[in-house]
Amino acid sequence: KQEVTQIPAALSVPEGENLVLNCSFTDSAIYNLQWFRQDPGKGLTSLLLIQSSQREQTSGRLNASLDKSSGRSTLYIAASQPGDSATYLCAVRVKAAGNKLTFGGGTRVLVKP
Amino acid sequence: NAGVTQTPKFQVLKTGQSMTLQCAQDMNHEYMSWYRQDPGMGLRLIHYSVGAGITDQGEVPNGYNVSRSTTEDFPLRLLSAAPSQTSVYFCASSYSASEGAGEKLFFGSGTQLSVL
């Protein structure tokens, strides 16, 4: 059974510092990995999607890398801003489970002005 | 552009009552799904659908029914509510249902359900 872990559960950084968020998964047979952002009381917003054949994806200040062999993905957020404060979740779509996504528990980020 | 619309936003039920959570998307997405989010448990898949007339169970389907009579709508029915079903429920959709298609998942804003 695929398990997805995000450590740390919470992170606090001063504004301007780069954020590094980690995601690990136990089964490397994945189709893709997505990073989501969730604001309090809101739904999830997809930030980046990395296909299993890709090593990384970039969107603005966001960069996500994928290392399938080691079962790891990292989300980098450059020059953090208070508006980046949110919970970030990763999820993997597994080959053995159809279209099901397995989510990590998330990392709650606070960017202090 | 409405995206994925869920109603209601909040609901309080008594044990044993039934209700339907509504989900509609206007993006012509093939794939629709229901998740529940609980503290310490993360997001768990309840049911999903890969197209009109086709549904399948997810990780935690017991106590819930779904149907998909149209591409746009995917309601979630609680047959006899239990306190263990207190949770935040999210509907999500993506363009393609094909394995490996790798489409981004779009979420609704959620329904907070309390069962007393």
Side-chain angles (χ1 to χ4, degrees):
Chain A
K1 180 185 173 185
Q2 177 74 268
E3 292 183 4
V4 181
T5 305
Q6 292 184 251
I7 296 173
L11 186 60
S12 179
V13 299
E15 183 178 1
E17 192 166 298
N18 296 333
L19 280 164
V20 181
L21 305 179
N22 298 305
C23 172
S24 61
F25 47 95
T26 54
D27 186 348
S28 61
I30 64 170
Y31 279 119
N32 59 56
L33 183 145
Q34 286 190 67
W35 280 95
F36 295 89
R37 169 185 173 137
Q38 185 175 27
D39 293 286
K42 300 288 179 64
L44 282 71
T45 300
S46 182
L47 299 173
L48 290 168
L49 185 149
I50 313 175
Q51 301 278 13
S52 61
S53 58
Q54 298 175 318
R55 299 283 294 188
E56 66 176 354
Q57 277 287 332
T58 298
S59 176
R61 293 185 295 113
L62 305 180
N63 175 276
S65 66
L66 175 64
D67 184 343
K68 270 201 323 176
S69 61
S70 66
R72 294 184 182 185
S73 177
T74 302
L75 177 66
Y76 299 90
I77 303 178
S80 62
Q81 304 168 357
D84 295 328
S85 298
T87 297
Y88 292 83
L89 299 98
C90 66
V92 296
R93 180 167 286 182
V94 298
K95 292 186 176 182
N99 293 287
K100 302 171 189 177
L101 291 184
T102 301
F103 283 83
T107 295
R108 189 171 66 254
V109 171
L110 175 64
V111 180
K112 295 177 288 187
Chain B
N1 34 324
V4 180
T5 303
Q6 287 184 240
T7 56
K9 289 191 181 299
F10 301 95
Q11 184 71 49
V12 178
L13 292 177
K14 294 181 180 178
T15 296
Q17 286 185 315
S18 62
M19 78 158 297
T20 299
L21 306 185
Q22 301 291 345
C23 175
Q25 52 87 11
D26 61 358
M27 299 173 282
N28 198 32
H29 282 178
E30 267 190 328
Y31 178 78
M32 297 186 74
S33 55
W34 278 100
Y35 288 85
R36 59 178 289 174
Q37 186 174 36
D38 302 289
M41 303 291 290
L43 278 139
R44 293 178 293 169
L45 182 65
I46 305 171
H47 285 283
Y48 68 97
S49 168
V50 298
I54 305 169
T55 63
D56 205 349
Q57 296 181 349
E59 186 182 354
V60 287
N62 293 339
Y64 308 95
N65 273 359
V66 292
S67 60
R68 184 99 178 268
S69 56
T70 67
T71 300
E72 295 77 20
D73 299 299
F74 190 45
L76 178 72
R77 298 181 186 86
L78 280 70
L79 306 175
S80 177
S84 61
Q85 293 179 304
T86 294
S87 185
V88 181
Y89 291 85
F90 289 101
C91 178
S93 71
S94 65
Y95 179 73
S96 174
S98 302
E99 293 187 9
E103 296 292 337
K104 283 189 175 184
L105 205 57
F106 292 80
F107 278 77
S109 58
T111 295
Q112 189 167 328
L113 176 68
S114 295
V115 182
L116 306 177

